[in-house]
Amino acid sequence: MENTRMYADSLTAVPSPAPVPTDEPAPAAPTPTAAASTAAAPTSGRRRLLWHLGEMALAMVAGMLLLGPLWELAGTALGVGDTLARPEVAALVMATNMTVGMTVVMRYRAHRWLAVGEMAAAMYVPFLLLLVPFRAGLIDADAMVLGGHLLMIPAMVLVAVRHRHETSAPIRRHPVVVAFGHRWPVGLALLMTVEMWVDPSVLSPWTMLVLPGGYLLIGVARRTLGGRGVLATQLAGLAGWAALTLVAVKAGGRTADWLVAFGWLAHAGWDLAHHRNRRVVPRGYGEFCVVLDVALAAVMVLAILTTDA
């Protein structure tokens, strides 16, 4: 699909394999191997496209999680909090946060500025279009925000499809940036807890059911529960955290808070075991979960210790 792929970490051009010239006549029909390669090419292209869109979605979420609290702090410090809270301004601020996260990831992936600019437009234009009926009183704020997100999805897909054959831009990355890029699940997990560190609180005991439930759902989707004892182990984990949840709900009060914090911290060990053996869930998911579980457990312990019984 691409003639030359530029790997930005080393700035080394790696040409794609090309057929060797020959004087022999071309075969009248493709060989089974060639036919299989031809059939695999569209599948590979679709996977790259879906992976790219998935990365964009994660980058947008990360941008909102990281920059959202900063906007609130800046608005309070500058006395413009009410202005930032207006629906049309909040929508554009949200688009900005998503665009910043998307830009960082796309440039890290060596996408050219034209593609980055078009993807940014895909995030801003839907909201700008809906500002007109919103200001005219034809739609409310919720419809504007929801409609903007719904229109954003096909716009992003169109941009991704338009640039799917584009060669990468030469970019020299700092080794620290490369190392962080290889550990992006850790960064995403930490970003998701930024706001909770500002205002620590204890999660509901029922959230502990999400911990083993996520592994079961991913295992079913990836078809990785068929190994010897794998499904039994996951069901045992579900039973264990379900029992802990019921005990916490029954106990209530400070006891429940400590049980919830312990439950999330204990699940970090579960994540670490799956991260090491790479079973059931992808390695990156295990890495993300172990950091998220430890961070949330620490936030909840902080909330318990800093509030009255």
Side-chain angles (χ1 to χ4, degrees):
M1 297 173 65
E2 298 175 357
N3 294 328
T4 300
R5 182 78 177 177
M6 186 72 73
Y7 290 89
D9 291 342
S10 60
L11 289 178
T12 303
V14 182
S16 301
V20 178
T22 176
D23 294 331
E24 298 179 4
T31 63
T33 303
S37 300
T38 303
T43 302
S44 177
R46 285 193 295 269
R47 287 179 179 175
R48 284 198 298 272
L49 178 62
L50 293 175
W51 179 258
H52 173 52
L53 292 172
E55 281 189 330
M56 294 301 96
L58 289 175
M60 291 157 60
V61 171
M64 290 189 293
L65 291 173
L66 178 62
L67 298 179
L70 298 181
W71 280 98
E72 293 181 8
L73 293 175
T76 302
L78 299 176
V80 294
D82 292 339
T83 301
L84 293 177
R86 292 170 53 184
E88 62 270 33
V89 177
L92 295 178
V93 168
M94 184 189 306
T96 301
N97 295 343
M98 292 187 292
T99 299
V100 171
M102 173 273 304
T103 300
V104 171
V105 171
M106 288 190 69
R107 287 303 290 172
Y108 179 82
R109 291 299 188 189
H111 291 275
R112 298 186 178 275
W113 280 113
L114 177 60
V116 174
E118 292 183 5
M119 192 66 77
M123 297 181 187
Y124 276 107
V125 171
F127 291 111
L128 292 174
L129 291 175
L130 292 176
L131 281 180
V132 177
F134 171 73
R135 296 301 297 270
L138 300 177
I139 60 175
D140 59 14
D142 292 337
M144 178 186 64
V145 174
L146 178 60
H149 282 90
L150 292 177
L151 291 175
M152 187 187 303
I153 296 173
M156 291 175 60
V157 172
L158 288 175
V159 174
V161 171
R162 167 175 154 76
H163 293 278
R164 68 187 184 279
H165 298 308
E166 188 177 79
T167 57
S168 301
I171 298 176
R172 188 180 298 278
R173 304 190 189 103
H174 192 278
V176 175
V177 176
V178 175
F180 182 79
H182 291 164
R183 289 289 178 264
W184 65 266
V186 173
L188 180 61
L190 293 175
L191 287 176
M192 292 181 67
T193 64
V194 168
E195 192 169 358
M196 292 192 66
W197 286 102
V198 178
D199 185 19
S201 61
V202 179
L203 299 176
S204 167
W206 297 106
T207 59
M208 288 191 290
L209 295 180
V210 176
L211 303 175
Y215 274 75
L216 282 169
L217 289 176
I218 294 175
V220 170
R222 300 182 71 231
R223 300 179 181 179
T224 53
L225 298 177
R228 183 177 180 181
V230 175
L231 180 58
T233 301
Q234 299 305 315
L235 292 176
L238 177 62
W241 269 281
L244 186 62
T245 298
L246 295 176
V247 172
V249 171
K250 181 67 175 178
R254 186 55 59 94
T255 301
D257 293 344
W258 280 112
L259 288 175
V260 174
F262 168 77
W264 280 82
L265 184 61
H267 196 263
W270 184 270
D271 298 325
L272 184 60
H274 286 82
H275 172 68
R276 293 174 63 88
N277 60 31
R278 306 186 186 188
R279 299 177 71 180
V280 182
V281 297
R283 184 181 179 90
Y285 181 86
E287 186 176 315
F288 163 81
C289 278
V290 69
V291 175
L292 181 66
D293 291 349
V294 171
L296 289 179
V299 168
M300 286 185 275
V301 170
L302 178 62
I304 294 170
L305 296 178
T306 55
T307 57
D308 296 330

